[in-house]
Amino acid sequence: MKDPNAEASFNLMDRAWIPVTMLDGSYAELSIIDTFVKADEIRSIDGDISLQRFALSRTLIAILYGVYGNDFPIEIWRALFDRGPKDPEVSRMIREYCEDYHDRFDLFDPVAPFYQVAGLHTAKHEMSGLERLVLDVPGGEPFFTTRMGEGLKAMSAAEAARWLVTMQAYDASGIKSGAVGDPRVKGGKGYPIGVAWAGHLGGYLIEGQNLWQTLMLNLVSWQVFGLGDSTVEWDNDAPIWEREPLTEKPAKGFDQPAEETGNVGYFHGPATLLTWQSRRMLLEHQGTKVTGVLMCNGDRLKPQNAHHYEMMSGWRRSEAQEKSLKKPLVYMPRKHDPTRALWRGLPLLTVGESQDSGDRPSYIRPYSLNWLTRVTEGHPEHLPVRLHAFGVEYGNQEAVVDSSIDDFLDLNLTVLTTENPKMGQMLRDAVDITDQGISALRNFAVNIARSEGMPVDAPRQKASELGYSTFDAAFRQWVGALDGDDDLDARYLEWRDIARRILIRLGNQLAGQASPRAIVGRNVTMKTGTGDFKTAHYSVALAEVWYRGKLNTLFPSMEDSTTESTAVSE
């Protein structure tokens, strides 16, 4: 009987597997080649979960690195951005590259299956179920998954390909199957080497008005470091499909031993990191229907000091890592905080605010933004973009996925690329005054609770959530209307006026919900900071007086603000 797997083929270059939203609002699944051909007709990459959007976009960007290399001049970048994928020369180069590496994109190739290792096996030749391939299936918690019951027994090759790319980017740490031939295996088990590469990052994807713009906006040349005056080298940098097929063994020069943590020689460059093989995997299939997966350890890589190589994350200086590694300077990815909206960290993504400490700043913004600042220099690009943040929160020693981050801001590219340091300061002031206003709202809620003799923790938390949820939409709308770096003082005063009105409205809302007992009020005795006890009367009316007083301090009258702003400018 003929083996149905012998001639099975699903080549990602030709077969539809990438979900997209077109500019006309319709949905489609496209091959890699069709995705590039129609990139200026596509609004965005989609996915089974939001993280697939980031993972699949990184794969497409890696192909462009393969086509154009990693050291192209600014003029070439501008020409590519303007011409688009339907330009004959652009189309020819992409198509020729895809043809050159066509064989490396077959999901079921017997020698070099895409993102997998042919012949990978354990001592017992066991395979795992497909729940191991789906990132959002927490162990023992199947009700969280996007797929249920019978859906996990088999999946299409297209879906399996999407999950394959996603797991190579975001797989949790923990014990893996032990591949025969991997010298790190002990007792048939692959012991933890850490999360997959993108799981370390606070990822940013800068999305343009179509997919071609998106891919180009995240394609960064080595010239971002300057013309020959940088010690940074992108050495032996290439996407995984340009390298020899991997085996079950760790790859020499790529797998980073624990004692080499922080050694930048293992990063190589952006194309390498965009396609990093954190795991050795092999799909089990019947024909083109995928029925199981084997997942083993791949190449270990920790993110310390990768800021000159990974272009799509922000970075923070870590004194703890400097002490641990005994290195004078260590940067770690600045991961996204799932409790904080993206707009609250926006100031650190601007030029002035992220380079606040000379040669050793506390924070470094993604180098993709530094590149865009350079390519738009002298060519101010008033381009509407979406700053899209992606990330994962892991739990239990990073062995499980607790939650994912998917947040975005629609704004003008000028906000991120202007070299006017006032932009970052203005945004910081706007965020700071918002935080202070919400703090005042929390205190107002606490004082109302004290007025009626109720516990204060729940009202404080509820007021905080009310404040940030209300300001979320308002701040996004305000920052989305910033179309340049002119008259930033006026824009800040505009935000102060918006914030004050919102806080007055929210205060009225809290006061209107107070109980009759809180309106009457009561005497409250509390311990002071010096250890003494003090008794004071609390009521809604007094709480309102204190709250309005705080707002008057935070938000002086518009006449006073204008005078103050003029004085500062002079």
Side-chain angles (χ1 to χ4, degrees):
M1 185 175 178
K2 194 172 183 180
D3 182 359
N5 292 332
E7 298 179 2
S9 174
F10 191 90
N11 197 297
L12 306 182
M13 284 292 182
D14 310 316
R15 303 289 292 272
W17 70 288
I18 300 176
V20 300
T21 299
M22 308 301 290
L23 291 178
D24 63 9
S26 62
Y27 298 93
E29 274 192 15
L30 301 175
S31 67
I32 289 175
I33 291 176
D34 283 343
T35 299
F36 276 111
V37 168
K38 299 179 179 179
D40 58 351
E41 304 171 39
I42 296 170
R43 168 69 66 194
S44 64
I45 299 290
D46 296 323
D48 302 289
I49 60 172
S50 62
L51 293 173
Q52 282 190 4
R53 188 176 196 164
F54 191 62
L56 295 177
S57 295
R58 283 169 66 87
T59 302
L60 295 176
I61 294 165
I63 291 175
L64 290 182
Y65 274 113
V67 177
Y68 296 106
N70 60 27
D71 192 17
F72 41 85
I74 289 174
E75 293 73 23
I76 294 295
W77 185 94
R78 287 178 181 154
L80 288 171
F81 186 88
D82 292 337
R83 289 180 185 177
K86 291 186 173 60
D87 176 87
E89 182 64 13
V90 174
S91 176
R92 181 189 64 80
M93 290 187 67
I94 292 175
R95 190 172 290 277
E96 285 183 358
Y97 181 85
C98 290
E99 290 173 355
D100 287 344
Y101 292 96
H102 184 273
D103 291 347
R104 295 298 299 272
F105 283 81
D106 194 325
L107 206 59
F108 306 127
D109 188 85
V111 176
F114 178 77
Y115 269 36
Q116 301 163 76
V117 173
L120 190 72
H121 66 280
T122 67
K124 296 181 180 179
H125 293 272
E126 68 260 300
M127 284 276 181
S128 299
L130 289 177
E131 68 279 357
R132 189 68 190 83
L133 185 62
V134 179
L135 184 69
D136 66 338
V137 183
E141 305 287 353
F143 48 84
F144 281 121
T145 185
T146 57
R147 299 176 57 92
M148 295 297 294
E150 294 295 322
L152 283 177
K153 290 185 178 180
M155 67 172 63
S156 68
E159 184 180 5
R162 297 193 293 270
W163 285 118
L164 187 67
V165 173
T166 306
M167 293 303 285
Q168 287 285 17
Y170 283 111
D171 185 41
S173 188
I175 294 176
K176 310 298 176 187
S177 299
V180 172
D182 182 353
R184 299 168 297 181
V185 170
K186 297 179 181 178
K189 296 179 180 179
Y191 286 90
I193 63 170
V195 302
W197 176 251
H200 293 294
L201 310 178
Y204 290 101
L205 183 69
I206 303 134
E207 298 177 350
Q209 294 178 294
N210 58 55
L211 180 60
W212 180 255
Q213 288 187 357
T214 296
L215 299 178
M216 290 303 303
L217 289 169
N218 294 277
L219 186 70
V220 180
S221 170
W222 179 86
Q223 295 187 23
V224 69
F225 302 116
L227 300 175
D229 60 351
S230 174
T231 58
V232 178
E233 293 184 13
W234 288 353
D235 180 52
N236 192 25
D237 181 38
I240 186 61
W241 46 81
E242 292 189 20
R243 291 164 51 197
E244 288 297 314
L246 296 176
T247 70
E248 69 281 352
K249 294 182 174 64
K252 187 176 181 180
F254 293 84
D255 181 67
Q256 182 187 57
E259 62 272 16
E260 294 291 335
T261 299
N263 182 342
V264 301
Y266 289 86
F267 300 124
H268 299 283
T272 302
L273 296 181
L274 289 168
T275 59
W276 190 266
Q277 300 295 285
S278 301
R279 304 291 180 254
R280 299 291 188 263
M281 300 174 67
L282 184 63
L283 298 177
E284 182 180 52
H285 60 102
Q286 294 293 323
T288 58
K289 189 69 72 174
V290 176
T291 56
V293 63
L294 175 60
M295 186 174 298
C296 308
N297 281 327
D299 295 324
R300 176 192 184 274
L301 190 65
K302 297 296 183 180
Q304 285 87 339
N305 282 341
H307 50 292
H308 288 138
Y309 303 84
E310 173 55 66
M311 302 287 101
M312 299 175 73
S313 178
W315 300 83
R316 59 176 177 82
R317 187 176 177 184
S318 172
E319 293 184 3
Q321 287 292 318
E322 290 168 1
K323 292 178 181 178
S324 174
L325 298 176
K326 296 181 174 57
K327 289 181 178 289
L329 191 63
V330 175
Y331 285 99
M332 294 291 289
R334 184 170 172 265
K335 297 193 73 172
H336 304 305
D337 183 346
T339 66
R340 287 173 60 91
L342 176 60
W343 57 266
R344 296 176 67 190
L346 183 60
L348 288 177
L349 298 176
T350 62
V351 173
E353 290 294 290
S354 63
Q355 312 293 341
D356 61 352
S357 305
D359 295 334
R360 297 189 170 191
S362 300
Y363 298 97
I364 298 175
R365 66 183 188 151
Y367 270 92
S368 57
L369 297 180
N370 286 357
W371 173 247
L372 292 176
T373 294
R374 290 203 60 186
V375 299
T376 57
E377 187 177 1
H379 298 73
E381 188 66 65
H382 297 285
L383 179 71
V385 297
R386 171 168 287 183
L387 180 68
H388 208 145
F390 299 91
V392 167
E393 274 292 300
Y394 298 96
N396 191 19
Q397 299 183 321
E398 296 190 319
V400 295
V401 173
D402 272 357
S403 62
S404 64
I405 291 90
D406 175 22
D407 196 0
F408 62 84
L409 273 176
D410 291 323
L411 37 70
N412 196 288
L413 186 59
T414 305
V415 175
L416 299 172
T417 59
T418 178
E419 296 187 80
N420 183 350
K422 276 191 171 184
M423 176 65 79
Q425 185 58 54
M426 187 273 289
L427 291 171
R428 176 176 288 282
D429 290 344
V431 172
D432 284 350
I433 205 166
T434 303
D435 287 336
Q436 292 177 57
I438 293 175
S439 178
L441 186 70
R442 284 196 295 265
N443 289 336
F444 183 36
V446 165
N447 289 334
I448 291 176
R450 286 176 178 154
S451 299
E452 57 181 338
M454 299 295 290
V456 301
D457 288 346
R460 180 191 287 117
Q461 179 65 26
K462 187 175 180 181
S464 183
E465 292 172 355
L466 173 65
Y468 280 115
S469 63
T470 304
F471 272 100
D472 189 70
F475 195 97
R476 291 172 191 273
Q477 183 177 4
W478 172 74
V479 80
L482 297 176
D483 59 358
D485 57 4
D486 298 328
D487 208 6
L488 295 178
D489 291 334
R491 300 287 74 76
Y492 175 61
L493 293 178
E494 177 184 68
W495 175 249
R496 284 208 312 191
D497 185 48
I498 293 170
R500 180 186 176 92
R501 284 187 276 111
I502 289 174
L503 288 164
I504 289 173
R505 175 166 57 83
L506 293 179
N508 291 339
Q509 183 177 329
L510 292 183
Q513 296 170 348
S515 68
R517 186 168 53 177
I519 294 173
V520 173
R522 58 194 286 269
N523 290 331
V524 179
T525 301
M526 292 189 297
K527 195 174 184 177
T528 66
T530 60
D532 299 327
F533 288 88
K534 182 178 180 181
T535 299
H537 187 74
Y538 281 74
S539 68
V540 174
L542 282 171
E544 282 192 283
V545 170
W546 299 331
Y547 179 58
R548 289 300 184 102
K550 181 64 176 177
L551 294 188
N552 288 337
T553 301
L554 289 175
F555 305 96
S557 69
M558 292 304 293
E559 181 178 348
D560 292 341
S561 299
T562 304
T563 303
E564 175 188 302
S565 177
T566 303
V568 170
S569 299
E570 293 172 353

